[in-house]
Amino acid sequence: MTALNFSITHEGIFLATDTLVTRDGRPLTFTAKVLMLPHMDGFVTGTGSIALFQRWSHEILSEGMAHMRVLDVSTPDRLRKIWAEMSDAERDNGTSDIYHLYYDPNNDRFGGFAYRCSNDFESEPLGYGDYSKPDFGDAFPIIDFPGDLIRACRLQRFAQEKLDPDQRRQIGGQVIAYMMQRHEAEGQPMSTLMTAQVAYEFEDFDDIFLECAERIEPDDVWGSDPKTCRSPI
């Protein structure tokens, strides 16, 4: 996990990820890799371990929080605790990042924070600009939405396919594009409008879907009973 591209601008936040999840270097399933939090004017996303992203998302959804800037105060220590409790298998390749992207109504400004495993999950403020992970050579400004984000995800996949299998990040499935912008309504305080769309499907989606289906065993079917269903993590 994962192809991640986003742009923080004065006009809003524009973001895209792929949907493929792998295990042991092989396709496992597809999932959304962005948590939308309209009540907090924010997005949560990440790269690396899907387990870290999902566990952190569950924590955020399990509590009330006023705003992403407030959440930032406790995030580093809480991510360190989750990471320490995870198994080697859950940590995947050993490096993971979490990103919080948000709108600050008090300052009428979009922004973000990065929490990188390589930096002990310290809070790193993100200013206006374009961000991509993994790198894919000559980056370009994200101007057209969602076209430039699709192009970036495709270039990331091409770049990864040139690497040795043990160094490669598997990218595929679909590209989901997200957007957050200001929303004004007469008589109401400023808020945000968020959208999400399946913007692109990689050419081998059907083949990868079948490969994922073949890996599902009877015990891997997730039911509605929380006492019997297994977690995908």
Side-chain angles (χ1 to χ4, degrees):
M1 177 191 174
T2 191
L4 173 62
N5 298 280
F6 62 89
S7 181
I8 305 175
T9 75
H10 177 71
E11 302 302 321
I13 293 175
F14 307 90
L15 163 70
T17 73
D18 72 323
T19 60
L20 179 63
V21 178
T22 62
R23 179 183 293 167
D24 301 325
R26 294 179 55 204
L28 177 66
T29 188
F30 302 104
T31 191
K33 302 174 183 178
V34 175
L35 173 64
M36 302 175 68
L37 299 166
H39 64 299
M40 295 170 63
D41 293 323
F43 292 145
V44 175
T45 187
T47 65
S49 168
I50 189 67
L52 177 65
F53 167 71
Q54 292 181 332
R55 290 190 180 195
W56 180 234
S57 296
H58 182 267
E59 280 213 16
I60 295 174
L61 291 171
S62 299
E63 63 181 52
M65 187 61 63
H67 192 267
M68 302 293 279
R69 293 186 64 86
V70 177
L71 179 62
D72 174 62
V73 176
S74 63
T75 295
D77 284 341
R78 295 169 69 183
L79 287 177
R80 292 180 192 120
K81 183 176 183 296
I82 294 173
W83 188 253
E85 294 172 348
M86 289 168 54
S87 66
D88 289 342
E90 290 174 319
R91 292 183 181 185
D92 196 11
N93 61 8
T95 60
S96 294
D97 300 339
I98 294 293
Y99 298 90
H100 292 178
L101 308 174
Y102 64 88
Y103 171 68
D104 182 354
N106 294 324
N107 296 307
D108 188 28
R109 182 180 177 86
F110 292 92
F113 296 102
Y115 310 92
R116 309 177 201 274
C117 174
S118 59
N119 192 32
D120 196 29
F121 297 111
E122 289 289 337
S123 174
E124 303 174 32
L126 301 175
Y128 288 169
D130 301 321
Y131 301 85
S132 295
K133 192 167 186 180
D135 295 332
F136 56 90
D138 295 331
F140 51 86
I142 305 299
I143 298 174
D144 173 56
F145 176 87
D148 285 340
L149 292 169
I150 296 171
R151 181 183 170 204
C153 289
R154 284 175 55 83
L155 289 173
Q156 286 169 317
R157 172 162 166 161
F158 295 152
Q160 291 298 305
E161 287 177 342
K162 295 178 181 179
L163 301 178
D164 293 336
D166 60 341
Q167 299 177 326
R168 185 181 306 160
R169 292 194 180 198
Q170 301 292 333
I171 294 170
Q174 298 162 313
V175 174
I176 302 182
Y178 302 80
M179 180 172 62
M180 183 196 316
Q181 292 186 296
R182 296 174 183 82
H183 177 68
E184 299 182 72
E186 186 175 353
Q188 299 293 325
M190 182 76 73
S191 62
T192 54
L193 175 66
M194 301 180 180
T195 65
Q197 66 181 98
V198 176
Y200 179 76
E201 188 172 280
F202 286 97
E203 295 84 351
D204 60 351
F205 176 81
D206 289 342
D207 292 337
I208 298 299
F209 181 89
L210 291 175
E211 186 172 349
C212 290
E214 290 174 355
R215 295 195 66 185
I216 296 177
E217 299 187 9
D219 289 342
D220 290 325
V221 177
W222 312 319
S224 59
D225 185 348
K227 295 181 180 180
T228 60
C229 70
R230 287 186 54 185
S231 166
I233 301 174

